[in-house]
């Protein structure tokens, strides 16, 4: 089982070493901004490294929205991040499922279809897209699994992957018991696990990650999810190298035990 962490983008390989991580995930640009990703001096090193690289797209991206002033820049930026993620050898580009502000989820889901159709005009996304489940909102495409199923009916044909976040599932109101089976019944695949505890309660709709065993989620459930999914694992937990190293070591111990 390959396990790692979401790290500061300044020097991901050094951050991986500091955590004994086999996987790193990082942003290629400010996650709260619309700036294009820039070429990286360490691109060759990242491509040739022993660690598995994943890139997380900015949070501002919402390809589902009915607001075209957000939707159009979102899909353009997602294509650019997929191009940039390829230069660092990323195995996946994680993007949140997004939401519609009001009304019709069907429109949001169709906007996802349009996003893939748009990318296909230029040969398709350069990096495997992994849609991640989210914690909040009442009109989210990938919070509740009834919505996720509707989304996958439309986007599944584009070969999209799935990233399951344990904090988001718990806070989003999807029980972690047997969740891998329920996800796979919808998506047929789980490409990455975000193994996070949640500071908040079940179905709270809040997205605040915590170190494993420190929050509201029974860590046995997180371990069971990882075992069942058989996918690479990234912790997106607080505490920098110290906190994340402890989470990684905890998971290794439990998974090997
Ligand atoms: Zn996540």
């Amino acid at each position: 089982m390959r396990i790692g962490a979401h790290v500061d983008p300044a020097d991901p390989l050094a951050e991986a070493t500091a955590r004994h991580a086999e996987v790193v995930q990082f942003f290629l640009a400010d996650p709260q901004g619309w700036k294009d990703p820039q070429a990286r001096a360490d691109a060759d090193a990242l491509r040739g490294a022993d660690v598995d690289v994943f890139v997380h797209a900015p949070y501002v991206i919402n390809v589902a929205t009915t607001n075209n002033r957000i939707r159009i820049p979102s899909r353009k930026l997602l294509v650019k991040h997929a191009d940039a993620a390829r230069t660092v050898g990323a195995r996946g580009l994680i993007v949140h499922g997004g939401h519609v502000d009001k009304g019709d989820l069907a429109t949001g889901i169709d906007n996802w279809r349009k996003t893939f159709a748009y990318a296909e005009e230029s040969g398709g996304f350069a990096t495997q897209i992994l849609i991640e489940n989210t914690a909040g909102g009442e009109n989210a495409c990938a919070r509740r699994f009834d919505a996720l199923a509707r989304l996958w009916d439309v986007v599944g044909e584009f070969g999209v992957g799935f990233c399951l976040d344990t904090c988001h599932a718990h806070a989003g109101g999807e029980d972690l018991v047997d969740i891998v089976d329920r996800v796979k019944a919808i998506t047929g695949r789980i490409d990455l696990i975000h193994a996070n505890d949640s500071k908040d309660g079940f179905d709270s709709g809040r997205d605040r990650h915590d170190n494993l065993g420190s929050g509201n989620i029974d860590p046995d459930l997180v371990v069971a999810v990882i075992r069942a999914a058989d996918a690479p694992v990234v912790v997106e937990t607080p505490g920098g190298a110290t906190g994340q190293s402890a989470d990684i070591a905890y998971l290794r111990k439990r998974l090997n035990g």
Side-chain angles (χ1 to χ4, degrees), residues 145 164 175-190 224-225 228-229:
F145 287 180
L164 176 64
D175 199 327
L176 289 174
V177 174
D178 297 331
I179 195 168
V180 168
D181 289 342
R182 280 183 287 122
V183 168
K184 284 194 171 173
I186 294 167
T187 65
R189 60 195 286 176
I190 293 178
V225 165

Side-chain angles (χ1 to χ4, degrees), residues 4-7 25 27 56 59 94 96 132-136 163-172 192-201 204-217 222 234-240 243-244 247:
H6 181 92
V7 301
Q25 173 186 291
F27 295 115
H56 201 301
Y59 298 129
I94 297 99
H96 287 176
E132 180 177 2
N133 64 313
T134 52
C163 171
L164 176 64
D165 187 307
T166 55
C167 169
H168 297 175
H170 170 85
L192 181 66
I193 296 288
H194 282 170
N196 304 307
D197 206 334
S198 169
K199 288 188 194 298
D200 301 288
S204 60
R206 300 194 69 189
D207 182 7
R208 295 190 307 155
H209 298 185
D210 207 344
N211 297 101
L212 302 175
S214 300
N216 270 272
I217 300 177
V222 177
V234 164
V235 302
E236 302 171 303
T237 50
Q244 292 184 339
D247 287 330

